[in-house]
């Protein structure tokens, strides 16, 4: 049972004749049981390396008293589903209406499915050169046991976590990674202002930018890809569907398949494919760009 032990206006100190000192009278109130679709924050349940990089944004809620509340499905995918999840600290001030919350934030909870529940299986070309941290897990994955399938799902979540953490630290425009726990990855919800408040930012493929903004988007795309290449990283599945148009800035998403440009034998092929996907979209909207020119420019950053 969890209790609220904060002092209330009627709490007081009174002398204790037997103890010869003042003692405190507290009003212990059991907090309400959590509703369906709620859980206590898992922030402190994960190891420190599974929590977001520092310095952390001010909006990250780290209180042990926070409650996670499911808000609904954001997007379903072939290998993972994304949900909106609110992490909030209940307001225990007795003068406030019941149900009020103090610090709160809405995040994206991306949950990877085990292999038997996926409609798409990642190509082994993406995992070339990757290592499984535990040899027992590696054997289970090779034998495709139930444990192995669960490990595989967690490996994709961990791979995306590592990519987001590294790229965020490098200054790349990606969602801030809040934490990873097994097959669940919590990250920043990228939004734009809509008619009814905050709304999920549209994918670049759904946007219709005017010429000036289109040119800015292309420069941002080149800069982001160059920054990844300088770090020896290739997105591996970059397209207008894996980039969000958040007002005047672009944010790169969906990063579980990132590959090592040099360590993966398919690295150069993936980079050229990323260049082709992005250049084709911009060219179709009237911008004179070429994927081969972009590829050559990026290669100059790589070596």
């Amino acid at each position: 049972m969890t209790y609220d032990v904060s002092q209330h206006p009627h709490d007081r100190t009174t002398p204790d004749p037997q103890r010869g000192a003042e003692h405190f009278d507290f009003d212990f109130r059991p907090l309400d049981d959590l509703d369906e679709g709620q859980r206590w924050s898992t922030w402190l349940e994960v190891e420190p390396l599974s929590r977001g990089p520092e310095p952390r944004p001010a909006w990250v809620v780290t209180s042990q008293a926070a409650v996670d509340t499911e808000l609904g499905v954001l997007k379903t995918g072939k290998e993972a589903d994304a949900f909106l999840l609110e992490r909030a600290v209940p307001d225990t001030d007795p003068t406030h209406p019941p149900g009020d919350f103090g610090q709160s934030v809405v995040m994206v909870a991306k949950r990877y499915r085990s292999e038997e529940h996926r409609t798409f299986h990642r190509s082994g070309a993406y995992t070339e050169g990757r290592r499984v941290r535990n040899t027992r897990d590696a054997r289970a994955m090779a034998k495709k046991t139930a444990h192995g399938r669960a490990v595989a799902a967690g490996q994709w979540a961990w791979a995306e976590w590592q990519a987001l953490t590294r790229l965020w630290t490098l200054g790349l425009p990606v969602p801030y990674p809040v934490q990873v726990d097994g097959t669940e990855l919590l990250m920043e919800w990228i939004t734009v202002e809509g008619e009814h408040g905050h709304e999920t930012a549209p994918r670049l493929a759904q946007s219709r930018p005017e010429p000036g903004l289109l040119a800015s988007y292309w420069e941002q795309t080149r800069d982001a890809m160059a920054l990844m290449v300088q770090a020896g990283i290739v997105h591996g599945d970059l397209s207008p569907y894996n980039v969000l148009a958040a007002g005047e800035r672009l944010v790169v998403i969906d990063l579980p398949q990132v590959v090592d440009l040099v360590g993966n034998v398919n690295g150069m092929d993936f980079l050229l494919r990323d260049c082709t996907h992005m250049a084709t979209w911009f060219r179709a909207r009237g911008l004179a760009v070429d994927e081969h020119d972009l590829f050559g420019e990026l290669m100059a950053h790589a070596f």
Side-chain angles (χ1 to χ4, degrees):
M1 179 72 72
T2 303
Y3 294 93
D4 171 20
V5 296
S6 60
Q7 277 194 287
H8 300 292
H10 60 271
D11 292 343
R12 64 192 183 281
T13 60
T14 57
D16 185 339
Q18 296 180 347
R19 298 169 62 183
E22 290 185 340
H23 74 279
F24 288 94
D25 290 333
F26 290 98
D27 180 14
F28 286 86
R29 295 182 298 120
L31 294 176
D32 293 338
D33 292 335
L34 298 183
D35 296 330
E36 183 178 355
Q38 291 187 318
R39 70 185 185 194
W40 294 108
S41 169
T42 56
W43 174 261
L44 291 181
E45 294 180 9
V46 301
E47 60 186 23
L49 290 178
S50 296
R51 300 175 196 151
E54 296 181 347
R56 297 187 181 110
W59 53 262
V60 176
V61 177
T62 61
S63 171
Q64 189 174 2
V67 174
D68 293 347
T69 303
E70 297 279 347
L71 301 181
V73 177
L74 177 64
K75 179 182 179 295
T76 58
K78 295 178 180 179
E79 57 193 344
D81 297 320
F83 302 81
L84 287 182
L85 181 142
E86 180 187 41
R87 175 165 289 175
V89 180
D91 187 344
T92 56
D93 189 326
T95 64
H96 292 180
D100 273 14
F101 285 85
Q103 186 183 11
S104 67
V105 64
V106 177
M107 303 176 289
V108 173
K110 186 173 183 179
R111 294 164 187 157
Y112 281 85
R113 305 191 200 101
S114 57
E115 286 192 359
E116 67 268 27
H117 295 119
R118 296 183 190 179
T119 58
F120 174 74
H121 297 272
R122 288 279 177 187
S123 168
Y126 289 112
T127 57
E128 180 75 29
R130 287 188 188 176
R131 293 182 179 180
V132 178
R133 292 178 293 170
N134 183 293
T135 55
R136 174 177 173 269
D137 290 343
R139 290 194 300 269
M141 289 174 62
K143 295 178 180 178
K144 297 185 178 181
T145 64
H147 173 68
R149 291 192 294 269
V151 169
Q155 285 292 106
W156 285 112
W158 182 255
E160 182 160 23
W161 163 260
Q162 287 185 305
L164 284 172
T165 299
R166 183 177 180 186
L167 295 177
W168 170 271
T169 303
L170 289 173
L172 199 84
V174 296
Y176 177 77
V178 177
Q179 69 176 69
V180 63
D181 185 11
T183 59
E184 179 185 75
L185 173 61
L186 300 185
M187 69 186 86
E188 179 184 3
W189 180 33
I190 305 300
T191 65
V192 293
E193 287 292 334
E195 295 181 2
H196 307 289
H198 292 297
E199 298 178 355
T200 302
R203 295 177 185 268
L204 179 61
Q206 300 168 326
S207 68
R208 296 293 180 269
E210 48 82 24
L213 185 57
L214 183 71
S216 173
Y217 280 172
W218 174 250
E219 292 303 316
Q220 292 180 54
T221 298
R222 292 171 56 198
D223 290 344
M225 295 181 73
L227 189 56
M228 283 191 281
V229 166
Q230 288 171 358
I233 298 172
V234 179
H235 186 286
D237 194 26
L238 190 63
S239 78
Y241 293 94
N242 287 336
V243 177
L244 299 181
E248 296 185 353
R249 72 186 183 108
L250 296 183
V251 179
V252 180
I253 61 171
D254 292 338
L255 292 149
Q257 69 294 307
V258 292
V259 298
D260 189 302
L261 178 62
V262 178
N264 188 306
V265 296
N266 304 291
M268 299 293 182
D269 293 335
F270 282 128
L271 180 59
L272 179 57
R273 190 177 70 175
D274 287 354
C275 292
T276 300
H277 287 164
M278 298 307 295
T280 298
W281 188 85
F282 279 95
R283 189 164 54 243
R285 278 144 189 83
L287 205 61
V289 296
D290 180 82
E291 56 267 31
H292 297 287
D293 290 343
L294 175 60
F295 181 79
E297 180 182 328
L298 295 176
M299 283 294 92
H301 286 285
F303 302 105

